[in-house]
Structure formats: structure tokens, C-alpha cells
mmCIF file of all heavy atoms in Angstrom:
data_model
loop_
_atom_site.group_PDB
_atom_site.id
_atom_site.type_symbol
_atom_site.label_atom_id
_atom_site.label_comp_id
_atom_site.label_asym_id
_atom_site.label_seq_id
_atom_site.Cartn_x
_atom_site.Cartn_y
_atom_site.Cartn_z
ATOM 1 N N LEU A 1 72.038 79.483 -29.205
ATOM 2 C CA LEU A 1 73.410 79.090 -29.164
ATOM 3 C C LEU A 1 74.352 80.159 -29.723
ATOM 4 O O LEU A 1 75.491 80.319 -29.238
ATOM 5 C CB LEU A 1 73.617 77.784 -29.923
ATOM 6 C CG LEU A 1 72.914 76.526 -29.320
ATOM 7 C CD1 LEU A 1 73.356 75.274 -30.057
ATOM 8 C CD2 LEU A 1 73.240 76.387 -27.803
ATOM 9 N N ALA A 2 73.910 80.902 -30.722
ATOM 10 C CA ALA A 2 74.719 81.975 -31.263
ATOM 11 C C ALA A 2 74.946 83.043 -30.224
ATOM 12 O O ALA A 2 76.051 83.615 -30.056
ATOM 13 C CB ALA A 2 74.076 82.591 -32.515
ATOM 14 N N HIS A 3 73.896 83.364 -29.447
ATOM 15 C CA HIS A 3 74.018 84.358 -28.396
ATOM 16 C C HIS A 3 74.978 83.882 -27.285
ATOM 17 O O HIS A 3 75.863 84.632 -26.829
ATOM 18 C CB HIS A 3 72.664 84.639 -27.772
ATOM 19 C CG HIS A 3 72.703 85.571 -26.613
ATOM 20 N ND1 HIS A 3 72.670 86.977 -26.793
ATOM 21 C CD2 HIS A 3 72.822 85.375 -25.260
ATOM 22 C CE1 HIS A 3 72.749 87.552 -25.594
ATOM 23 N NE2 HIS A 3 72.799 86.616 -24.639
ATOM 24 N N LEU A 4 74.823 82.609 -26.878
ATOM 25 C CA LEU A 4 75.697 82.071 -25.817
ATOM 26 C C LEU A 4 77.133 82.086 -26.277
ATOM 27 O O LEU A 4 78.068 82.396 -25.487
ATOM 28 C CB LEU A 4 75.242 80.710 -25.400
ATOM 29 C CG LEU A 4 73.886 80.627 -24.713
ATOM 30 C CD1 LEU A 4 73.476 79.215 -24.403
ATOM 31 C CD2 LEU A 4 73.851 81.471 -23.425
ATOM 32 N N ALA A 5 77.373 81.727 -27.522
ATOM 33 C CA ALA A 5 78.754 81.719 -28.038
ATOM 34 C C ALA A 5 79.311 83.124 -28.042
ATOM 35 O O ALA A 5 80.480 83.381 -27.668
ATOM 36 C CB ALA A 5 78.777 81.133 -29.448
ATOM 37 N N ALA A 6 78.548 84.119 -28.487
ATOM 38 C CA ALA A 6 79.000 85.516 -28.531
ATOM 39 C C ALA A 6 79.269 86.040 -27.117
ATOM 40 O O ALA A 6 80.156 86.870 -26.947
ATOM 41 C CB ALA A 6 77.987 86.359 -29.263
ATOM 42 N N ALA A 7 78.471 85.563 -26.154
ATOM 43 C CA ALA A 7 78.599 86.015 -24.750
ATOM 44 C C ALA A 7 79.729 85.333 -23.991
ATOM 45 O O ALA A 7 79.960 85.593 -22.845
ATOM 46 C CB ALA A 7 77.308 85.872 -24.013
ATOM 47 N N GLY A 8 80.428 84.375 -24.659
ATOM 48 C CA GLY A 8 81.585 83.714 -24.072
ATOM 49 C C GLY A 8 81.295 82.491 -23.301
ATOM 50 O O GLY A 8 82.147 81.991 -22.577
ATOM 51 N N PHE A 9 80.042 81.934 -23.429
ATOM 52 C CA PHE A 9 79.729 80.695 -22.678
ATOM 53 C C PHE A 9 80.323 79.490 -23.356
ATOM 54 O O PHE A 9 80.296 79.380 -24.605
ATOM 55 C CB PHE A 9 78.228 80.530 -22.586
ATOM 56 C CG PHE A 9 77.537 81.483 -21.649
ATOM 57 C CD1 PHE A 9 77.102 82.739 -22.078
ATOM 58 C CD2 PHE A 9 77.266 81.123 -20.330
ATOM 59 C CE1 PHE A 9 76.514 83.636 -21.210
ATOM 60 C CE2 PHE A 9 76.684 81.990 -19.459
ATOM 61 C CZ PHE A 9 76.289 83.245 -19.894
ATOM 62 N N ARG A 10 80.867 78.576 -22.580
ATOM 63 C CA ARG A 10 81.350 77.301 -23.100
ATOM 64 C C ARG A 10 80.239 76.267 -22.879
ATOM 65 O O ARG A 10 79.836 76.014 -21.786
ATOM 66 C CB ARG A 10 82.660 76.856 -22.415
ATOM 67 C CG ARG A 10 83.792 77.799 -22.656
ATOM 68 C CD ARG A 10 85.085 77.263 -22.110
ATOM 69 N NE ARG A 10 85.461 75.996 -22.777
ATOM 70 C CZ ARG A 10 86.539 75.263 -22.413
ATOM 71 N NH1 ARG A 10 87.299 75.676 -21.391
ATOM 72 N NH2 ARG A 10 86.824 74.180 -23.073
ATOM 73 N N ILE A 11 79.788 75.709 -23.996
ATOM 74 C CA ILE A 11 78.652 74.769 -23.961
ATOM 75 C C ILE A 11 79.136 73.348 -24.202
ATOM 76 O O ILE A 11 80.158 73.094 -24.818
ATOM 77 C CB ILE A 11 77.640 75.203 -25.069
ATOM 78 C CG1 ILE A 11 77.171 76.633 -24.866
ATOM 79 C CG2 ILE A 11 76.420 74.255 -25.066
ATOM 80 C CD1 ILE A 11 76.533 76.876 -23.523
ATOM 81 N N SER A 12 78.333 72.403 -23.686
ATOM 82 C CA SER A 12 78.662 70.958 -23.902
ATOM 83 C C SER A 12 78.848 70.690 -25.388
ATOM 84 O O SER A 12 78.198 71.249 -26.258
ATOM 85 C CB SER A 12 77.500 70.136 -23.397
ATOM 86 O OG SER A 12 77.562 68.794 -23.887
ATOM 87 N N THR A 13 79.769 69.800 -25.699
ATOM 88 C CA THR A 13 80.011 69.414 -27.106
ATOM 89 C C THR A 13 79.135 68.246 -27.518
ATOM 90 O O THR A 13 79.192 67.764 -28.662
ATOM 91 C CB THR A 13 81.480 69.076 -27.361
ATOM 92 O OG1 THR A 13 81.845 67.999 -26.464
ATOM 93 C CG2 THR A 13 82.378 70.276 -27.089
ATOM 94 N N SER A 14 78.304 67.739 -26.599
ATOM 95 C CA SER A 14 77.437 66.614 -26.915
ATOM 96 C C SER A 14 76.268 67.028 -27.793
ATOM 97 O O SER A 14 75.804 68.190 -27.742
ATOM 98 C CB SER A 14 76.861 65.993 -25.645
ATOM 99 O OG SER A 14 77.919 65.482 -24.829
ATOM 100 N N GLY A 15 75.792 66.142 -28.630
ATOM 101 C CA GLY A 15 74.709 66.449 -29.553
ATOM 102 C C GLY A 15 75.268 66.758 -30.914
ATOM 103 O O GLY A 15 76.456 66.848 -31.138
ATOM 104 N N ALA A 16 74.328 66.919 -31.876
ATOM 105 C CA ALA A 16 74.720 67.289 -33.240
ATOM 106 C C ALA A 16 75.468 68.637 -33.219
ATOM 107 O O ALA A 16 75.223 69.445 -32.324
ATOM 108 C CB ALA A 16 73.495 67.383 -34.123
ATOM 109 N N PRO A 17 76.406 68.859 -34.172
ATOM 110 C CA PRO A 17 77.232 70.089 -34.121
ATOM 111 C C PRO A 17 76.432 71.375 -33.968
ATOM 112 O O PRO A 17 76.859 72.279 -33.293
ATOM 113 C CB PRO A 17 77.996 70.023 -35.446
ATOM 114 C CG PRO A 17 78.066 68.573 -35.778
ATOM 115 C CD PRO A 17 76.768 67.951 -35.262
ATOM 116 N N GLU A 18 75.301 71.428 -34.667
ATOM 117 C CA GLU A 18 74.516 72.697 -34.614
ATOM 118 C C GLU A 18 73.563 72.744 -33.404
ATOM 119 O O GLU A 18 72.884 73.745 -33.191
ATOM 120 C CB GLU A 18 73.712 72.869 -35.913
ATOM 121 C CG GLU A 18 72.494 71.968 -36.091
ATOM 122 C CD GLU A 18 72.831 70.573 -36.574
ATOM 123 O OE1 GLU A 18 74.021 70.209 -36.548
ATOM 124 O OE2 GLU A 18 71.909 69.874 -37.005
ATOM 125 N N ARG A 19 73.501 71.665 -32.599
ATOM 126 C CA ARG A 19 72.593 71.624 -31.443
ATOM 127 C C ARG A 19 73.367 71.256 -30.186
ATOM 128 O O ARG A 19 72.775 70.698 -29.275
ATOM 129 C CB ARG A 19 71.490 70.584 -31.703
ATOM 130 C CG ARG A 19 70.594 70.903 -32.841
ATOM 131 C CD ARG A 19 69.293 70.072 -32.819
ATOM 132 N NE ARG A 19 69.584 68.639 -32.895
ATOM 133 C CZ ARG A 19 69.685 67.976 -34.059
ATOM 134 N NH1 ARG A 19 69.555 68.586 -35.199
ATOM 135 N NH2 ARG A 19 69.931 66.700 -34.036
ATOM 136 N N ARG A 20 74.608 71.564 -30.121
ATOM 137 C CA ARG A 20 75.433 71.215 -28.947
ATOM 138 C C ARG A 20 74.838 71.786 -27.673
ATOM 139 O O ARG A 20 74.551 72.984 -27.574
ATOM 140 C CB ARG A 20 76.836 71.708 -29.149
ATOM 141 C CG ARG A 20 77.602 70.945 -30.203
ATOM 142 C CD ARG A 20 78.974 71.539 -30.447
ATOM 143 N NE ARG A 20 79.703 70.751 -31.440
ATOM 144 C CZ ARG A 20 80.864 71.108 -31.956
ATOM 145 N NH1 ARG A 20 81.385 72.253 -31.583
ATOM 146 N NH2 ARG A 20 81.445 70.351 -32.864
ATOM 147 N N GLY A 21 74.661 70.896 -26.719
ATOM 148 C CA GLY A 21 74.176 71.326 -25.367
ATOM 149 C C GLY A 21 72.671 71.508 -25.308
ATOM 150 O O GLY A 21 72.149 71.711 -24.196
ATOM 151 N N VAL A 22 71.950 71.470 -26.420
ATOM 152 C CA VAL A 22 70.501 71.706 -26.372
ATOM 153 C C VAL A 22 69.763 70.448 -25.951
ATOM 154 O O VAL A 22 69.885 69.414 -26.632
ATOM 155 C CB VAL A 22 69.994 72.197 -27.778
ATOM 156 C CG1 VAL A 22 68.476 72.258 -27.773
ATOM 157 C CG2 VAL A 22 70.613 73.550 -28.118
ATOM 158 N N VAL A 23 69.025 70.533 -24.860
ATOM 159 C CA VAL A 23 68.266 69.408 -24.373
ATOM 160 C C VAL A 23 66.790 69.573 -24.473
ATOM 161 O O VAL A 23 66.017 68.686 -24.229
ATOM 162 C CB VAL A 23 68.686 69.063 -22.889
ATOM 163 C CG1 VAL A 23 70.117 68.654 -22.777
ATOM 164 C CG2 VAL A 23 68.432 70.294 -22.011
ATOM 165 N N GLN A 24 66.367 70.777 -24.831
ATOM 166 C CA GLN A 24 64.960 71.112 -25.056
ATOM 167 C C GLN A 24 64.888 72.266 -26.053
ATOM 168 O O GLN A 24 65.885 72.967 -26.256
ATOM 169 C CB GLN A 24 64.246 71.540 -23.779
ATOM 170 C CG GLN A 24 64.775 72.838 -23.227
ATOM 171 C CD GLN A 24 63.851 73.547 -22.256
ATOM 172 O OE1 GLN A 24 64.319 74.123 -21.319
ATOM 173 N NE2 GLN A 24 62.543 73.535 -22.469
ATOM 174 N N ARG A 25 63.769 72.412 -26.710
ATOM 175 C CA ARG A 25 63.627 73.459 -27.655
ATOM 176 C C ARG A 25 62.310 74.192 -27.474
ATOM 177 O O ARG A 25 61.320 73.592 -27.024
ATOM 178 C CB ARG A 25 63.710 72.914 -29.115
ATOM 179 C CG ARG A 25 65.119 72.470 -29.518
ATOM 180 C CD ARG A 25 65.158 71.916 -30.900
ATOM 181 N NE ARG A 25 64.526 70.626 -31.008
ATOM 182 C CZ ARG A 25 64.488 69.885 -32.078
ATOM 183 N NH1 ARG A 25 65.027 70.392 -33.232
ATOM 184 N NH2 ARG A 25 63.950 68.691 -32.131
ATOM 185 N N LEU A 26 62.292 75.460 -27.810
ATOM 186 C CA LEU A 26 61.075 76.270 -27.897
ATOM 187 C C LEU A 26 60.865 76.711 -29.326
ATOM 188 O O LEU A 26 61.860 77.005 -30.008
ATOM 189 C CB LEU A 26 61.135 77.483 -26.974
ATOM 190 C CG LEU A 26 61.219 77.261 -25.440
ATOM 191 C CD1 LEU A 26 61.307 78.639 -24.740
ATOM 192 C CD2 LEU A 26 60.047 76.469 -24.958
ATOM 193 N N ASP A 27 59.633 76.784 -29.779
ATOM 194 C CA ASP A 27 59.328 77.321 -31.082
ATOM 195 C C ASP A 27 59.909 78.720 -31.212
ATOM 196 O O ASP A 27 60.001 79.470 -30.236
ATOM 197 C CB ASP A 27 57.836 77.401 -31.330
ATOM 198 C CG ASP A 27 57.148 76.044 -31.347
ATOM 199 O OD1 ASP A 27 57.863 75.058 -31.470
ATOM 200 O OD2 ASP A 27 55.902 76.022 -31.246
ATOM 201 N N VAL A 28 60.210 79.092 -32.470
ATOM 202 C CA VAL A 28 60.726 80.476 -32.724
ATOM 203 C C VAL A 28 59.770 81.507 -32.173
ATOM 204 O O VAL A 28 60.192 82.486 -31.545
ATOM 205 C CB VAL A 28 60.972 80.674 -34.209
ATOM 206 C CG1 VAL A 28 61.231 82.124 -34.527
ATOM 207 C CG2 VAL A 28 62.110 79.837 -34.708
ATOM 208 N N GLY A 29 58.467 81.298 -32.342
ATOM 209 C CA GLY A 29 57.497 82.280 -31.925
ATOM 210 C C GLY A 29 57.093 82.182 -30.484
ATOM 211 O O GLY A 29 56.213 82.944 -30.030
ATOM 212 N N THR A 30 57.675 81.270 -29.731
ATOM 213 C CA THR A 30 57.343 81.086 -28.290
ATOM 214 C C THR A 30 58.455 81.673 -27.463
ATOM 215 O O THR A 30 59.649 81.431 -27.726
ATOM 216 C CB THR A 30 57.139 79.600 -27.940
ATOM 217 O OG1 THR A 30 56.063 79.093 -28.717
ATOM 218 C CG2 THR A 30 56.812 79.417 -26.477
ATOM 219 N N SER A 31 58.108 82.462 -26.444
ATOM 220 C CA SER A 31 59.117 83.040 -25.541
ATOM 221 C C SER A 31 59.196 82.248 -24.274
ATOM 222 O O SER A 31 58.347 81.431 -23.975
ATOM 223 C CB SER A 31 58.760 84.484 -25.285
ATOM 224 O OG SER A 31 57.419 84.598 -24.806
ATOM 225 N N GLY A 32 60.245 82.489 -23.470
ATOM 226 C CA GLY A 32 60.315 81.904 -22.143
ATOM 227 C C GLY A 32 61.572 81.091 -21.861
ATOM 228 O O GLY A 32 62.568 81.243 -22.549
#
């Protein structure tokens, strides 16, 4: 989300404030 914000993407405001727009998660050590 920090990257998307810096790149100028407007993300959904739904969800907890720190997880806006996130509908799935990957572990920190998992890529893809």
C-alpha cells in the first residue's frame, strides 16, 4: 500500500485504515 500510494494510485477506502483496499495478503517472505 505504501508503494501504491507513492505511485499515485487511489485505493478503495473500505477496510481498516491500514488495510484499505486489501482483499488478500501474502506473507512478507512470499513473492508473487
Side-chain angles (χ1 to χ4, degrees):
L1 294 188
H3 177 85
L4 294 178
F9 287 87
R10 296 187 64 184
I11 302 302
S12 164
T13 58
S14 297
E18 74 278 15
R19 297 195 299 271
R20 289 175 178 171
V22 172
V23 295
Q24 65 161 142
R25 289 179 286 184
L26 295 179
D27 295 346
V28 169
T30 300
S31 52

